[in-house]
Amino acid sequence: NAGVTQTPKFRVLKTGQSMTLLCAQDMNHEYMYWYRQDPGMGLRLIHYSVGEGTTAKGEVPDGYNVSRLKKQNFLLGLESAAPSQTSVYFCASRALGAGGSYEQYFGPGTRLTVT
Amino acid sequence: DQQVKQNSPSLSVQEGRISILNCDYTNSMFDYFLWYKKYPAEGPTFLISISSIKDKNEDGRFTVFLNKSAKHLSLHIVPSQPGDSAVYFCAASAYSGAGSYQLTFGKGTKLSVIP
């Protein structure tokens, strides 16, 4: 049981390049989330999904797209990377909330630098 | 506008003493609160949570207190240990529609426990 995994761990992009970050979870969780963490800013929600085939915008969605074609995977895409997207990206998942548990399980993060 | 505030960016405590981390929130719709712990180069890990219908929750050395009238919660760690040195994030949950509960994070407090 690996929990939440993220690929890749590190990446350096040039401005204008594109890439996809992959998140996978093996806990059969319905909900999945993408966050970014910047120094002094905490974690901010980019996009989220409440189930396979559904996605929604979070607090800071501009410049990103997502897809949830399979329940266990949540992809975050950058179509044209900008230096402002230099950040650490975290994926998280959560079970359908029986009993009021809102705990999210996080992956180890992807450190992205855009030059 | 920050809905979850951790006003102390850092805190230093002697080993064996009590650590008190504080968090304030502004949104009265928040109904569940969580504390996450984060080590460098790792994802956040869940520590403890509390429902808005309670005022205290305890788990071993960790206790979270909630004061709804003041919109304030605190995390107490007793006794503090060097392994507790990490960044602690306060998070609050509210229903955001379409069956989704989102977490709003504070900016974090870096705790250093001095041996």
Side-chain angles (χ1 to χ4, degrees), chain B:
Chain B
D1 182 33
Q2 242 190 307
Q3 298 186 63
V4 177
K5 299 178 184 178
Q6 294 178 257
N7 292 319
S8 298
S10 62
L11 175 68
S12 288
V13 172
Q14 286 290 131
E15 180 179 2
R17 300 286 193 129
I18 183 171
S19 295
I20 300 176
L21 293 88
N22 294 305
C23 179
D24 297 294
Y25 63 96
T26 57
N27 187 346
S28 57
M29 300 302 292
F30 289 142
D31 59 0
Y32 205 79
F33 303 89
L34 305 89
W35 284 94
Y36 280 83
K37 177 178 179 179
K38 185 183 179 307
Y39 292 118
E42 294 184 10
T45 55
F46 171 74
L47 190 57
I48 192 169
S49 62
I50 187 166
S51 166
S52 60
I53 62 172
K54 295 186 176 181
D55 55 18
K56 178 182 174 182
N57 188 27
E58 201 169 345
D59 183 3
R61 296 186 298 114
F62 303 92
T63 303
V64 55
F65 295 92
L66 175 62
N67 182 332
K68 279 187 68 177
S69 61
K71 293 190 174 66
H72 176 83
L73 64 155
S74 60
L75 173 68
H76 292 211
I77 306 174
V78 184
S80 301
Q81 299 174 353
D84 296 330
S85 297
V87 176
Y88 290 79
F89 290 100
C90 171
S93 177
Y95 185 65
S96 58
S100 174
Y101 292 83
Q102 291 184 21
L103 291 183
T104 302
F105 285 84
K107 293 184 177 182
T109 296
K110 183 177 182 179
L111 173 66
S112 300
V113 180
I114 304 161

